Amino acid sequence: MKKSIILIFFVLATFISATSQVDRSQRPQPGPAPVIQLGDFETFKLRNGLQVIVVENRSVPVVSFQITLDINPALEGDAAGYSSLAGSLMREGTTTRSKEQIDEEIDFIGASLSTFSTGMFASALTRHTETLLELMSDILLNPTFPEAELQRSINQTLSGLEASRNSSDFIAGNIANVTRYGTDHPYGEITTPETLNNITREHLVNYYNTYFRPNVAYLVIVGDINVREARKLTRKFFGKWEKQNVPSTTYPTPVAPEGNRVALGNRTGATQSTVMVTYPVEFTPGNPDALAASMMNNILGGGVFSGRLMQNLREDKGYTYGARSSLSSDRRIGSFRASTEVRNSVTDSTVVEILAEMRRLIEEPIDEETLELVKSFLTGSFSRSLESPRTIARYALNIIRYDLPSDYYATYLERLHAVTIADIQEMAAKYLKPDNAIIVVAGSQDDVMEPLRRFSATGEVELYDAFGRRLDPPRKIGGDLTAEMVIDAYIQAIGGAEKLKAVKDVTTKMKATVQGMQLEAVTKQKAPNKYFTEMTMGGNVLQKQIFDGTRGSVTAMGQTQEITGDDLEDLKLQSVLFPELRYAELGYTMELVGIEQVNGEDAYRVRITNASGQVHNEYFSVNTRLRLKSQRSQETPMGDVSVETAYDDYRDVNGILFPFEIRQQAGPQTINMEVQSVEIDTNMSDDVFNIE
């Protein structure tokens, strides 16, 4: 017992002595980089050229198979989008199976299987491996690309584009791709409604026959399988995949602009802007600078809350909820981007701060604490990633695909810990280009265009539509043309003031399809200002709104509520039959802003402010004088939302033109209304407008 006490005392004394000699004013020196033991992987190649990578992992009875094509993308021209559809439609039918049969067989074994333009992925329990591979092989070797599924996919994609075309992220992303890479590069091609409608089944078949070849493919197998089993199965199910020469197209290498450019996607009425600073970078996978450059970007804006952009724009200025940057590698051309979303009023200030943070990294060395923080963060991220066998598989694929050193990932932490403060500053000087960037903004032209002009080396702000197509700048109108004259021309174009004033009542019936359900709407208006509208779905009333000339009510979910305050004032204005005839009387003021393009057509833009101070914009064709579009902002629980209504297919009803196609978009929601009928002067009873 005594010997034990002495031993404990000796240990404590040694510990106290050692700690008393530590100089706590000095930061401890980092220890040596941990030695990384990557999981094992094995490779082999089939006679048809298919390269196979196997990562054995017996921890769970699951196995996955991923095929990746190593190909250069093709320019798709006026059918942009066909490669994506070819990839997704591979699993929609084969020469022996329908889409329904494929879905049923996958569900029956509890598997997952997806296809895409550069390969496919499938996973299942080990006991279903051969069943899964038989399905996978059939889909890979015998796709039929059914015409009906193609049309369904095109329609779904068109709906998605309609829902996205008013999204600031969607607009900014498309503009960034076009301005970064150019339209003569595959990365600069944008899928539009027009290109989608040009896609045929032949495009899909040609793409598949040209690029889905084993001699340009890698098969990565991960899970409960060894290399001997993998060799036997791949020969059985993929050995008959026929090799063929695959074209390898080259393109001009995009370069950063000589001076800063400013590209604006207009979102009239939007209260916020998406801001992006971007440019192309020659930054290939395995680049010797990759690790130090990644650390530099992590300090700028890749480290989430620790990033300088986040600290500046969110924590210090309060401009945004989040700001990020990325430096992306690509074998053809990489890219840099820094982005955020802010209020219109601080859009230009945000650009100033992003460029300043880029310059700060170039001009000022970081401190040791920042360097160690990013090293710790990346060490943890890398170590955690090694817990997944699929990470090992991805690393193995990268080593083979990009001809990296065999110890590229094994020495990652060693190389990470060797990066110095000087290396970070060198990477900033090499890859950050605050004076050679493309500044992309998706926001309200009225609010941000002029403040952004100072960032352009040429003083020009380039305008683009939602799909990255260049637009003419707004044109001021010379001469004596006024907003009142544009409105009068519209009135004349649809039938003339006398005809409109003579109308006593109008009934409009419309229908639309929303999530597969048919929506029907009936609107009744009676001069001068009585209004009724009812929306139904499946025979059930979704909403009913009435204004009897004095009072208003709304009924929804079986509950009726009186409309008051500002909402009542809005309803009063909405209830006026042909309000364009009475703008002055109703207290509206108008301004002719200029000529802008709406779907490629020149249009007069008239800014109209009602008696309540609310502003909306009307766009009238320069050619036909008909209304093409209306835009207004609407308050919602999620903030202000821009509501756009487009009008098309004008038809004559008793000598007056009415639009029979009406498309309304509010945020991401789009409804295409098809007018079924318009009836004029039906001797409408006032009882229609009774409020219970």
Side-chain angles (χ1 to χ4, degrees):
M1 180 69 180
K2 184 176 180 180
K3 291 177 65 177
S4 298
I5 294 173
I6 293 172
L7 179 61
I8 293 171
F9 177 81
F10 176 77
V11 171
L12 288 172
T14 304
F15 173 76
I16 293 170
S17 174
T19 55
S20 65
Q21 298 175 30
V22 174
D23 183 357
R24 297 189 180 276
S25 66
Q26 300 294 320
R27 177 185 297 275
Q29 293 298 310
V35 177
I36 293 298
Q37 297 294 331
L38 291 179
D40 294 330
F41 64 89
E42 298 188 63
T43 66
F44 60 88
K45 182 185 287 189
L46 299 188
R47 290 181 179 178
N48 58 11
L50 178 64
Q51 297 189 67
V52 185
I53 300 169
V54 183
V55 178
E56 183 177 350
N57 177 40
R58 300 289 188 175
S59 61
V60 290
V62 174
V63 63
S64 68
F65 302 85
Q66 178 162 328
I67 291 176
T68 300
L69 301 180
D70 189 12
I71 58 176
N72 283 337
L75 277 170
E76 300 178 15
D78 62 2
Y82 69 72
S83 63
S84 177
L85 287 178
S88 63
L89 287 175
M90 280 183 65
R91 74 180 305 284
E92 302 300 282
T94 71
T95 54
T96 60
R97 290 178 171 91
S98 66
K99 175 185 182 301
E100 291 73 21
Q101 289 174 314
I102 291 172
D103 291 341
E104 287 175 5
E105 292 186 46
I106 291 172
D107 289 344
F108 184 75
I109 62 174
S112 64
L113 192 154
S114 58
T115 58
F116 35 93
S117 63
T118 56
M120 61 194 306
F121 174 83
S123 177
L125 294 173
T126 307
R127 66 176 181 269
H128 298 307
T129 296
E130 292 217 24
T131 303
L132 177 67
L133 284 175
E134 198 280 322
L135 267 168
M136 192 175 178
S137 175
D138 187 29
I139 291 169
L140 177 66
L141 302 182
N142 307 304
T144 56
F145 305 103
E147 184 70 41
E149 295 300 328
L150 171 59
Q151 292 307 314
R152 180 186 60 81
S153 292
I154 287 175
N155 290 336
Q156 285 183 341
T157 308
L158 285 170
S159 296
L161 291 181
E162 282 299 320
S164 301
R165 67 187 302 157
N166 205 32
S167 160
S168 60
D169 288 341
F170 177 83
I171 296 169
N174 283 343
I175 296 173
N177 285 339
V178 168
T179 54
R180 230 184 355 234
Y181 306 115
T183 55
D184 59 350
H185 194 284
Y187 293 173
E189 286 194 311
I190 307 298
T191 300
T192 70
E194 292 77 16
T195 65
L196 276 172
N197 285 322
N198 289 332
I199 295 174
T200 65
R201 180 178 176 276
E202 185 178 3
H203 285 109
L204 278 57
V205 172
N206 288 341
Y207 178 83
Y208 165 79
N209 287 334
T210 301
Y211 293 104
F212 271 79
R213 295 295 171 181
N215 45 302
V216 292
Y218 298 91
L219 172 60
V220 179
I221 306 173
V222 181
D224 187 16
I225 190 171
N226 61 38
V227 70
R228 182 181 60 81
E229 296 167 326
R231 194 185 300 270
K232 177 182 176 182
L233 291 171
T234 52
R235 285 174 177 169
K236 177 179 178 180
F237 291 104
F238 302 110
K240 294 181 181 179
W241 191 8
E242 295 182 0
K243 65 180 179 179
Q244 178 179 290
N245 289 334
V246 174
S248 181
T249 311
T250 58
Y251 306 96
T253 301
V255 295
E258 292 185 3
N260 284 345
R261 295 170 59 187
V262 177
L264 174 62
N266 183 31
R267 297 178 65 235
T268 300
T271 59
Q272 290 190 305
S273 302
T274 290
V275 178
M276 186 187 303
V277 175
T278 187
Y279 46 84
V281 178
E282 290 192 57
F283 194 58
T284 56
N287 188 306
D289 294 338
L291 191 48
S294 173
M295 293 172 67
M296 179 275 296
N297 175 72
N298 197 279
I299 293 166
L300 177 64
V304 194
F305 284 97
S306 63
R308 289 183 173 182
L309 292 178
M310 181 76 85
Q311 291 296 313
N312 183 326
L313 297 175
R314 173 177 168 141
E315 302 301 322
D316 183 26
K317 303 294 189 306
Y319 288 170
T320 184
Y321 287 109
R324 298 295 303 272
S325 68
S326 64
L327 181 61
S328 303
S329 65
D330 186 277
R331 191 163 58 182
R332 283 159 284 276
I333 186 69
S335 67
F336 169 84
R337 60 172 284 176
S339 61
T340 186
E341 185 171 326
V342 297
R343 304 182 306 278
N344 286 342
S345 59
V346 296
T347 297
D348 58 332
S349 300
T350 297
V351 175
V352 169
E353 295 303 326
I354 292 174
L355 298 180
E357 290 295 351
M358 294 167 69
R359 291 191 179 96
R360 180 182 164 205
L361 267 175
I362 295 170
E363 297 169 359
E364 301 175 11
I366 63 170
D367 56 47
E368 189 69 34
E369 183 178 359
T370 299
L371 181 65
E372 292 307 317
L373 181 65
V374 72
K375 284 182 179 181
S376 297
F377 174 78
L378 292 176
T379 297
S381 297
F382 181 76
S383 300
R384 287 190 298 274
S385 74
L386 297 178
E387 298 172 4
S388 169
R390 292 192 64 184
T391 298
I392 308 303
R394 186 175 73 253
Y395 289 167
L397 175 60
N398 289 345
I399 288 171
I400 296 172
R401 185 178 183 185
Y402 301 123
D403 195 24
L404 303 178
S406 59
D407 64 350
Y408 184 80
Y409 293 101
T411 60
Y412 174 87
L413 292 183
E414 180 182 335
R415 290 181 287 114
L416 172 70
H417 282 261
V419 174
T420 66
I421 290 174
D423 293 333
I424 298 296
Q425 193 169 12
E426 180 185 352
M427 293 301 99
K430 186 172 183 178
Y431 292 108
L432 297 183
K433 302 180 183 297
D435 299 311
N436 306 94
I438 305 161
I439 298 163
V440 177
V441 174
S444 174
Q445 173 183 301
D446 296 340
D447 299 315
V448 304
M449 186 170 182
E450 288 308 314
L452 288 173
R453 198 177 297 279
R454 65 184 170 120
F455 300 108
S456 170
T458 64
E460 178 188 13
V461 175
E462 305 166 18
L463 287 180
Y464 294 83
D465 72 3
F467 298 101
R469 293 174 293 208
R470 188 73 182 266
L471 297 175
D472 294 333
R475 304 197 300 275
K476 293 294 183 182
I477 301 170
D480 299 325
L481 188 65
T482 65
E484 288 78 9
M485 293 167 67
V486 172
I487 299 298
D488 288 344
Y490 163 71
I491 291 171
Q492 187 62 35
I494 64 173
E498 289 189 15
K499 275 191 175 293
L500 301 186
K501 289 177 181 178
V503 174
K504 300 295 189 295
D505 60 70
V506 176
T507 300
T508 305
K509 296 180 180 179
M510 299 178 284
K511 71 174 183 179
T513 301
V514 180
Q515 297 181 348
M517 300 283 289
Q518 184 164 296
L519 173 72
E520 296 179 340
V522 176
T523 299
K524 297 176 182 288
Q525 287 182 271
K526 185 173 182 179
N529 64 343
K530 293 185 177 182
Y531 179 83
F532 168 96
T533 185
E534 182 179 75
M535 284 194 242
T536 60
M537 182 177 285
N540 298 314
V541 176
L542 298 180
Q543 187 182 72
K544 181 168 66 175
Q545 201 171 49
I546 301 174
F547 182 68
D548 65 5
T550 304
R551 299 168 55 227
S553 72
V554 60
T555 300
M557 306 295 291
Q559 301 293 318
T560 300
Q561 183 176 349
E562 186 171 357
I563 299 175
T564 59
D566 290 341
D567 291 336
L568 180 61
E569 294 304 311
D570 292 343
L571 186 56
K572 285 180 181 178
L573 297 174
Q574 182 181 346
S575 301
V576 175
L577 190 59
F578 301 118
E580 297 82 6
L581 294 170
R582 302 174 55 193
Y583 274 167
E585 175 189 340
L586 294 169
Y588 285 67
T589 58
M590 294 178 285
E591 176 191 357
L592 181 55
V593 178
I595 295 177
E596 300 179 16
Q597 290 182 299
V598 175
N599 296 328
E601 183 174 355
D602 282 349
Y604 295 116
R605 177 182 165 200
V606 178
R607 184 187 292 121
I608 301 173
T609 305
N610 67 24
S612 301
Q614 295 177 321
V615 177
H616 71 280
N617 293 275
E618 303 280 2
Y619 298 80
F620 301 92
S621 168
V622 170
N623 182 35
T624 66
R625 302 297 197 268
L626 297 175
R627 190 194 333 256
L628 301 178
K629 184 176 77 170
S630 301
Q631 182 281 327
R632 60 186 174 86
S633 293
Q634 181 172 309
E635 290 186 11
T636 72
M638 302 299 292
D640 284 353
V641 172
S642 179
V643 180
E644 290 192 359
T645 307
Y647 307 93
D648 202 357
D649 189 20
Y650 279 83
R651 301 181 192 177
D652 188 303
V653 179
N654 296 358
I656 300 175
L657 295 182
F658 290 88
F660 272 64
E661 288 184 14
I662 301 173
R663 184 183 69 249
Q664 187 168 86
Q665 182 168 10
Q669 303 299 321
T670 300
I671 297 180
N672 294 316
M673 302 296 297
E674 180 183 339
V675 176
Q676 301 297 292
S677 66
V678 176
E679 298 177 282
I680 294 177
D681 292 341
T682 59
N683 197 26
M684 191 178 294
S685 171
D686 285 342
D687 292 343
V688 172
F689 309 99
N690 287 341
I691 296 177
E692 299 175 359

